[in-house]
């Protein structure tokens, strides 16, 4: 039913389309025929228009010629002229008019009769007034200026005028002559013919046509006498145009318009363009059909003296010629319509035929598309002419992409493409009339090869081979399955043991690796369960858990201890996978395993190496940090306190250096045991490097004091344990620990912070004299941070040249400046001046003292060079302090030598001040260094003498030139007898050794006098001058010299 | 079935709408004092078309004013008009005074409604005897010159035989003794006198005055006479209808484009008819003679 409905709709559509197409063609052709016909008709109409215009002109011309003769005969004679001359006299005007009327009435009556009453005669005065109308004699004296411009023209120019003109009574063709008698202008006379006279003349030329005239309404209204309004009525053509004498009132009136003309006029009036065409004032013609006949309406404009269109001459006539052309057009239209009808039927039949063919093809295509096999048909050139949906889906092309393409080029494949492009096996077979069956690789649009099973048959229509029909099936999945089976068979025989069981665990198959790993042959296990491998090392719950996992997830993986056929227990890494069929039903278990025994051992070893100290077997730093991190988290969660011990063995390096590393290692092992003996089992003892141990105590309660107390006890126990000598390789050895403790509170969150705190505490303990315990104090942290900050600032100070050398004079007993000591000053950009007492120790500690010392030496030498340029300073010697680390440098001598050479300073002017501690460390080396420098002229002074342990013998070996008494002895010299004795002793010793002695820190006269009395003649101190910047020092020197000069 | 019903409903609805649409305006436009058609007969003229045109504006006015249909009926002569009037073929006619007396003598159904004004100012009609200015200037009895050749208008014209005879009688002249000629119109009489084709002529005063400047002289003038009148057929029209018709005619204002009633109408007055009736009475044969002359003339 649906199909029938669709077919009906399609048929209707075909018919509609055929009709529309035919109508369109018909309309175009008909339009052409119509245009051609209209062109011919228009040509005919133009001819009619031309003829009518010529006739109108001819008639007017004819009357023009007659009027001249009439004027000369009737008017321009003495009798009439004398009457008119009399009329100029107002007293005789009336009589003259009467005489004129009577004189010319016979002539007028004669002309009237000759022209069927269409002649009129009208005299005018010179001032354009009517003098005598023969057709209306009682009406005279009226002004004609407005209504009759032709009269005005004649009286103005005194020349004749010929024109068609409307009037106050009637309209017509006027011939107006000026009347001049004895040189006097007497007025004018008009000979006129009413239109009827002209009409009759024209009608004589074309008696078959009916002629008449219409006047332009707005020009004629208001011009004629009101009492004659009945002489005009609206024209049947248009209300804007008037017809004359519609009721044939006038004598010899024209016949009224015929019914035919009135009917044509009614038709023309219905034409919306007709009024406008009339208004345009041009000749035109139209055709009308009335009662089966064709009439032409031709209109010729009539102009007045000013060429103004005042009227239209029109004619209505039957036109056989045009009628024939219209009939011919009709005939041609009918013939055309019949032809187009036949063509339309033909188009419809063609459309129906094409649609049926298309439907048939679609029908076959739909059948083909239902096939699951791909199907395509080619012509003899291998180009595809039909392809079904299955083929499109398989190959990924659309039908438009495939149709017309060569199948072989498009999607056939071969290992040798060139060869394949020339020889398609299917084509080769079918073109020779044979069928082809085989497997080939087709290439999809996505360039994916697919295996297909192909069947090709030659396509015979009649006895002619028209190509081939090829069907194919995608067998890629089957091929892949075969391949997968082959690969699976290979994979089965792998290095891993494989065992396949049914869902109940009964062994179905094992591979060779299984036999190799377990010792069981296939026949030993097939039909049995894996229990045969049970080592007994896993309990029943283990297996229960395994089976539950397998049944739920069809997968289990893990380590399991099994037993080989020979009874050896081994660890295997076992993976069991459940196999389910397409219905989701479990059908098999596949267990694959490998021997993990060796790997297990290796992992254990790796674990130990990674997390334990190989020497002491204690957790190493990594494991300890891990446990510390856990402990912190635990503490934060439970608010339990703990404690972290940082333990460093005192003098362990000495043991290593003196008794070797093996002994050191033995000590470390013993220490480990003692530490473990003094903590709980749950506590962690770790060696984190060298002789450093850490202990982590957890769960010490929520009370911090109690935790401190507990930790202190443990620390004291450890110290106590260390008091017992260690027996190392048979020899007794005493060792002590320095212990730093940080209490772990719940607010701690960083293991590194804890370790740092404990380390700092340990450092403090060590500073306190070793074998000690010290809890972390926040002040330690502050100090350390300050120290670190100062070290950083020192680096910047060097880089940014923040150091400066001050010079403190050293004077003799006469207060003459003979030496100077260079003293470093540091002006920090933010912190201001920083005391050397604060930063020198830091520099010593950090090693930065080397760089600072180099800078001081370099700067001092440069100052010496400067002084050498001026005599005032030329003899000054400059003392420079040298630190122990600086002096201990191996290349110290070379460095000093190089600086002297580079700056050009005189070595004799340079004095290096060394502390006693510097000299006593390695006496021989010190002597060598000092001697080497002394050899080039450098002098040495022992600074802070008296504070160390210098002995006379020792001093004697050093190439010194000066001793400097430490200011600590000088400060209380006058009040402390001990200091006075020491000073005297030093001075005496110096004198004995023939060394110059200098006292520093001299601040009072008393001190100076005491020293002087005891033969110390060189002084340094605020009594004479504080350390000064270079410029001020130099000024001081100059001033002092000047004073001395003045004194002298 | 449903389709048929739908068409039926539509048809009924359309018919209903049409009847309402058609009935409403027609009922509203019909005041109905004159439920009949009136036939109007103007003066008989040689040119029926012109005659019809002259009457057209008046008939259209009456139709619009009274909501009736007015059909002009043209007759060749007065005799036919009088016959038609008596036979009830026409309800309204225009007549000269002379013909009116004839009609009155024939039927009692002639009811005069209004007088037709022939001049804007004049309420009456006058006839004259005229001659060219260079012709006779007074009437002599008997004439010194050969017998006056008399120009006449028409036989039934008031200024025709009747009043020309009447005026000549005043000067001791008798028309039947003089050569006379009917020229058809007042204008033709005037022109003939101007051209000196006749010595004297009888015509309406207002026509004669129109040609006076051209050269026509009035020799004598009659007493005031009744104008043309519009007469209703009381056998066909009720008194109300006649009154309505009379009122409409009196309301008529001239239309420049129509000669008929160009100066309007006056209420009919019997006053002038008395004198005229006495003139007619003095010439008892005139009326009948005139009718015969008129028929012959046409």
């Amino acid at each position: 039913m649906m199909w029938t409905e669709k077919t009906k709709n399609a048929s209707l559509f075909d018919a509609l389309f055929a009709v529309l197409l035919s109508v369109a063609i018909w309309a175009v052709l008909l339009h052409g025929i119509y245009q051609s016909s209209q062109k011919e008709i228009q040509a005919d109409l133009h001819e009619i228009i031309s003829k009518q215009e010529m006739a109108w002109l001819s008639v007017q011309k004819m009357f023009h010629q007659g009027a001249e003769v009439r004027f000369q005969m009737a008017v321009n004679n003495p009798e009439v002229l004398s009457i008119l001359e009399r009329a100029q006299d107002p007293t005789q005007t009336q009589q003259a008019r009467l005489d004129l009327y009577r004189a010319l009435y016979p002539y007028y009556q004669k002309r009237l009769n000759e022209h069927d009453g269409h002649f009129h005669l009208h005299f005018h005065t010179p001032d354009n007034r009517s003098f005598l109308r023969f057709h209306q004699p009682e009406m005279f004296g009226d002004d004609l200026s407005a209504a009759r411009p032709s009269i005005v023209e004649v009286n103005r120019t005194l020349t004749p005028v010929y024109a068609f003109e409307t009037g106050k009574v009637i309209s017509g063709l006027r011939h107006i002559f000026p009347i001049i008698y004895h040189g006097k202008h007497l007025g004018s006379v008009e000979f006129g013919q009413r239109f009827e006279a002209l009409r009759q003349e024209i009608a004589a030329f074309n008696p078959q046509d009916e002629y008449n005239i219409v006047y332009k309404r707005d020009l004629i209204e208001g011009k004629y006498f009101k009492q004659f309004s009945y002489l005009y009525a609206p024209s049947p053509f248009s209300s804007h145009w008037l017809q004359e004498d519609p009721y044939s009132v006038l004598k010899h009136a024209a016949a009224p318009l015929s019914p035919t003309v009135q009917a044509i006029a009614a038709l023309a009036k219905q034409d919306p363009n007709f009024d406008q065409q009339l208004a345009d004032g041009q000749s035109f013609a139209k055709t009308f059909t009335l009662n089966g006949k064709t009439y032409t309406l031709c209109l010729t404009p009539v102009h007045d003296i000013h060429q103004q269109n005042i009227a239209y001459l029109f004619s209505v006539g039957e036109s056989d010629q045009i009628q024939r052309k219209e009939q011919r057009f009709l005939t041609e239209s009918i013939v055309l319509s019949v032809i187009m009808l036949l063509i339309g039927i033909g188009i419809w039949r063609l459309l129906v035929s094409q649609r049926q063919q298309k439907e048939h093809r679609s029908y076959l295509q739909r059948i083909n598309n239902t096939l699951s096999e791909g199907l395509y048909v080619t012509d003899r050139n291998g180009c595809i002419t039909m392809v079904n949906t299955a083929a499109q889906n398989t190959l990924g092309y659309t039908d438009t992409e495939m149709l017309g393409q060569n199948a072989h080029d498009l999607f056939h494949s071969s290992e040798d493409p060139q060869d394949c492009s020339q020889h398609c096996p299917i084509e080769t077979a079918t073109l020779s009339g044979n069928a082809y069956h085989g497997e080939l690789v087709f290439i999809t649009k996505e360039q994916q090869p697919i295996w297909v099973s192909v069947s090709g048959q030659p396509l015979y229509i009649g006895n002619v081979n028209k190509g081939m029909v090829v069907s194919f099936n995608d067998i890629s999945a089957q091929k892949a399955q075969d391949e997968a089976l082959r690969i699976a068979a290979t994979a089965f025989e792998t290095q891993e043991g494989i065992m396949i069981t049914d869902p109940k665990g009964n062994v179905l198959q094992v591979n060779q690796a299984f036999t190799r790993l377990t010792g069981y042959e296939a026949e030993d296990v097939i039909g049995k369960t894996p229990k045969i491998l049970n080592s007994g090392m896993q309990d029943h719950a283990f297996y229960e858990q395994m089976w539950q996992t397998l049944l739920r997830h069809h997968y289990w993986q893990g380590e399991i201890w099994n037993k080989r056929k020979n009874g050896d227990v081994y660890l295997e890494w076992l993976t069991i996978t459940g196999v389910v069929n397409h219905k989701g039903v479990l059908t098999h278990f596949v267990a694959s395993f490998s021997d993990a025994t060796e790997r297990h051992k290796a992992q254990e070893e790796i674990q130990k190496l990674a997390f334990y100290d190989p020497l002491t077997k204690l957790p190493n730093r990594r494991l300890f940090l891990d446990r510390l991190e856990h402990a912190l988290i635990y503490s934060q969660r439970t608010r339990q306190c703990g404690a972290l011990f940082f333990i460093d063995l005192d003098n362990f390096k000495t043991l290593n250096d003196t008794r070797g590393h093996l002994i050191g290692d033995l000590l470390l092992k013993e220490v480990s045991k003692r530490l473990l003996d003094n903590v709980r089992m749950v506590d962690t003892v770790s060696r984190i490097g060298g002789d450093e141990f850490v202990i982590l105590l957890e769960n010490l309660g929520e009370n911090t004091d109690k935790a401190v107390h507990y930790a202190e006890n443990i620390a004291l126990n450890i110290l106590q344990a260390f008091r017992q000598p260690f027996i190392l390789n048979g020899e007794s050895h005493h060792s002590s620990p320095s212990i730093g403790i940080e209490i772990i509170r719940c607010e701690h969150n960083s293991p590194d912070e804890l370790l740092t705190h404990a380390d700092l505490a340990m450092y403090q303990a060590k500073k306190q004299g070793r074998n000690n315990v010290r809890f972390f104090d926040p002040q330690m942290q502050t100090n350390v941070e300050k120290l670190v900050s100062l070290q950083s600032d020192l680096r910047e100070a060097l880089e940014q040249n923040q150091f400066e050398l001050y010079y403190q004079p050293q004077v003799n007993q006469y207060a003459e400046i003979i030496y100077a000591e260079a003293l470093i000053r540091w002006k920090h950009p933010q912190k201001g001046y920083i005391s050397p007492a604060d930063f020198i120790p830091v520099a010593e500690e950090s090693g930065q003292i080397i760089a600072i010392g180099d800078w001081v030496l370099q700067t001092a030498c440069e100052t010496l060079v400067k002084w050498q340029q001026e005599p005032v300073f030329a003899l000054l010697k400059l003392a420079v302090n040298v630190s122990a680390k600086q002096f201990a440098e191996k290349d110290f001598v070379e460095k000093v030598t190089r600086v002297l050479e580079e700056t050009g300073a005189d070595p004799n002017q340079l004095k290096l001040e060394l502390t006693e501690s510097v000299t006593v460390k390695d006496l021989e080396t010190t002597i060598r260094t000092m001697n080497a420098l002394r050899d080039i002229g450098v002098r040495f002074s022992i600074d802070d003498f008296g504070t160390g342990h210098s002995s006379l013998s020792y001093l004697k070996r050093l190439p010194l030139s000066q001793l400097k008494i430490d200011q600590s002895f000088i400060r209380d010299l006058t009040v402390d007898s001990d200091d006075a004795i020491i000073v005297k002793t030093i001075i005496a010793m110096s004198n004995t050794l023939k060394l110059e002695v200098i006292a520093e820190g001299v601040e009072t006269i008393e001190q100076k006098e005491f020293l002087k009395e005891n033969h110390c003649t060189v002084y340094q101190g605020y009594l004479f001058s504080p350390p000064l910047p270079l410029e001020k020092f130099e000024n001081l020197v100059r001033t002092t010299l000047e004073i001395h000069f003045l004194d002298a | 079935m449903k389709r048929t019903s739908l068409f039926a409903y539509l048809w009924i609805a359309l018919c209903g709408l049409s009847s309402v649409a058609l009935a409403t305006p027609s009922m509203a436009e019909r005041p109905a004092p004159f439920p009949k058609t009136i036939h109007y007969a103007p003066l008989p003229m040689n040119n029926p078309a012109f005659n019809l045109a002259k009457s057209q504006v008046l008939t259209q006015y009456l139709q619009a004013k009274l909501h009736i249909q007015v059909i002009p009926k043209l007759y060749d002569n007065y005799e036919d008009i009088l016959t038609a009037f008596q036979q009830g073929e026409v309800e309204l006619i225009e007549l000269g005074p002379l013909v009116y007396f004839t009609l009155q003598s024939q039927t009692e159904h002639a009811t005069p409604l209004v007088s037709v004004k022939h001049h804007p100012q004049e309420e009456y009609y006058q006839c004259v005897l005229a001659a060219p200015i260079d012709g006779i200037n007074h009437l002599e009895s008997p004439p010194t010159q050969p017998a006056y050749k008399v120009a006449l208008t028409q036989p039934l014209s008031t200024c025709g035989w009747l009043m020309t005879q009447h005026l000549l009688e005043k000067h001791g002249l008798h028309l039947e003794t003089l050569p006379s000629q009917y020229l058809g119109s007042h204008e033709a009489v005037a022109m003939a006198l101007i051209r000196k084709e006749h010595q004297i002529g009888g015509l309406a005063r207002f026509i004669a005055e129109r040609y006076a400047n051209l050269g026509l002289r009035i020799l004598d003038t009659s007493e005031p006479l009744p104008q043309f009148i519009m007469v209703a057929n009381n056998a066909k029209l009720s008194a109300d209808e006649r009154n309505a018709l009379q009122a409409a005619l009196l309301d008529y204002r001239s239309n420049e484009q129509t000669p008929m009633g160009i100066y309007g109408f006056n209420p009919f007055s019997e006053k002038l008819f008395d004198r005229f009736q006495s003139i007619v009475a003095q010439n008892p044969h005139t009326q009948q003679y005139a009718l015969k002359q008129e028929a012959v003339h046409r």
Side-chain angles (χ1 to χ4, degrees), chain B residues 152-174:
Chain B
L152 297 172
T153 54
Q154 292 182 43
L156 274 179
S157 172
T158 305
C159 295
W161 181 277
L162 178 66
M163 290 310 296
T164 304
Q165 161 67 12
H166 175 69
L167 287 170
L168 286 172
E169 287 283 345
K170 285 168 65 179
H171 299 280
L173 295 172
H174 301 285

Side-chain angles (χ1 to χ4, degrees), chain A residues 94 101-102 137 247-249, chain B residues 47 50 53 134 191 194-195 213:
Chain A
Q94 187 180 28
Y101 180 69
R102 289 171 183 160
Y247 309 114
S248 302
V249 175
Chain B
N47 188 335
F50 184 50
D134 51 352
M191 296 287 283
I194 291 288
R195 290 194 298 268
N213 286 335

Side-chain angles (χ1 to χ4, degrees), chain B residues 78-92:
Chain B
Y78 280 118
E79 198 167 8
D80 290 347
I81 291 175
L82 298 182
T83 304
F85 186 88
Q86 292 175 62
Q87 291 176 352
E89 292 178 6
V90 292
E91 286 80 20
L92 184 65

Side-chain angles (χ1 to χ4, degrees), chain A residues 94-95 97-99 101-102 105 132 134 136-138 140 217 221 224 226 229-230 246-250, chain B residues 47 49-50 53 56 132-134 191 193-197 210-216 256-259:
Chain A
Q94 187 180 28
Q95 188 60 49
R97 182 181 296 110
L98 195 57
D99 293 343
Y101 180 69
R102 289 171 183 160
Y105 183 76
L132 178 62
F134 276 78
Q136 209 73 48
E138 80 280 11
F140 55 84
R217 183 171 190 163
E221 275 187 349
Y224 53 68
K226 298 299 178 192
S229 62
Y230 55 83
Y247 309 114
S248 302
V249 175
L250 300 174
Chain B
N47 188 335
F50 184 50
Q56 195 172 15
I133 54 172
D134 51 352
M191 296 287 283
L193 293 173
I194 291 288
R195 290 194 298 268
K196 278 193 170 177
E197 290 170 357
R210 192 190 300 166
Y211 285 84
N213 286 335
L214 186 60
L216 193 67
E256 291 181 358
Q257 290 186 338
T258 172

Side-chain angles (χ1 to χ4, degrees), chain A residues 147-365:
Chain A
R148 300 297 308 282
S150 55
I151 295 169
V152 176
E153 183 71 9
V154 170
N155 286 330
R156 186 178 66 80
T157 62
L158 304 180
T159 53
V161 166
Y162 310 97
F164 195 93
E165 199 167 59
T166 56
K168 288 196 167 188
V169 180
I170 56 169
S171 305
L173 188 62
R174 324 283 182 162
H175 317 278
I176 309 170
F177 302 92
I179 302 170
I180 300 169
Y181 186 55
H182 294 151
K184 191 176 181 183
H185 178 210
L186 303 180
S188 55
V189 62
E190 172 183 327
F191 295 83
Q193 270 79 32
R194 283 168 51 200
F195 168 74
E196 176 60 16
L198 282 79
R199 189 194 66 78
Q200 287 176 6
E201 292 296 334
I202 294 175
F205 290 117
N206 297 296
Q208 72 279 8
D209 293 343
E210 185 174 339
Y211 288 87
N212 214 317
I213 192 166
V214 290
Y215 296 97
K216 192 176 268 189
R217 183 171 190 163
D218 54 356
L219 292 179
I220 206 164
E221 275 187 349
K223 182 182 277 191
Y224 53 68
F225 290 119
K226 298 299 178 192
Q227 55 268 42
F228 297 127
S229 62
Y230 55 83
L231 291 176
Y232 295 95
S235 156
F237 289 98
S238 166
S239 59
H240 301 298
W241 295 76
L242 302 176
Q243 60 174 326
E244 193 177 45
D245 196 10
Y247 309 114
S248 302
V249 175
L250 300 174
K251 276 185 179 176
H252 307 291
L257 295 177
S258 68
T260 300
V261 172
Q262 296 208 11
I264 296 295
L267 291 173
K269 198 172 185 179
Q270 292 170 9
D271 184 348
N273 299 322
F274 194 73
D275 260 345
Q276 184 56 47
Q277 286 177 301
L278 286 172
D280 289 343
Q282 302 296 322
S283 292
F284 66 98
K286 285 176 160 309
T287 60
F288 296 93
T289 302
L290 190 68
N291 300 326
K293 293 180 180 176
T294 301
Y295 292 89
T296 56
L297 170 64
C298 180
L299 296 106
T300 302
V302 177
H303 299 113
D304 64 4
I305 184 175
H306 298 308
Q307 294 305 307
Q308 188 179 12
N309 178 212
I310 58 171
Y312 262 107
L313 166 70
F314 69 86
S315 68
V316 174
E318 213 177 316
S319 175
D320 295 339
Q321 193 175 349
I322 291 175
Q323 189 169 7
R324 280 197 297 276
K325 284 170 182 167
E326 287 179 343
Q327 285 173 346
R328 192 182 72 195
F329 167 70
L330 187 65
T331 307
E332 288 173 351
S333 301
I334 292 169
V335 171
L336 176 66
S337 301
V338 171
I339 291 171
M340 288 315 302
L341 179 65
L342 294 173
I343 290 174
I345 293 170
I347 292 170
W348 174 60
R349 293 294 301 272
L350 186 65
L351 288 172
V352 169
S353 171
Q354 282 184 340
R355 182 177 51 75
Q356 286 174 344
Q357 284 181 12
K358 191 176 174 185
E359 285 175 355
H360 186 65
R361 279 200 300 273
S362 175
Y363 173 72
L364 293 175
Q365 184 72 43

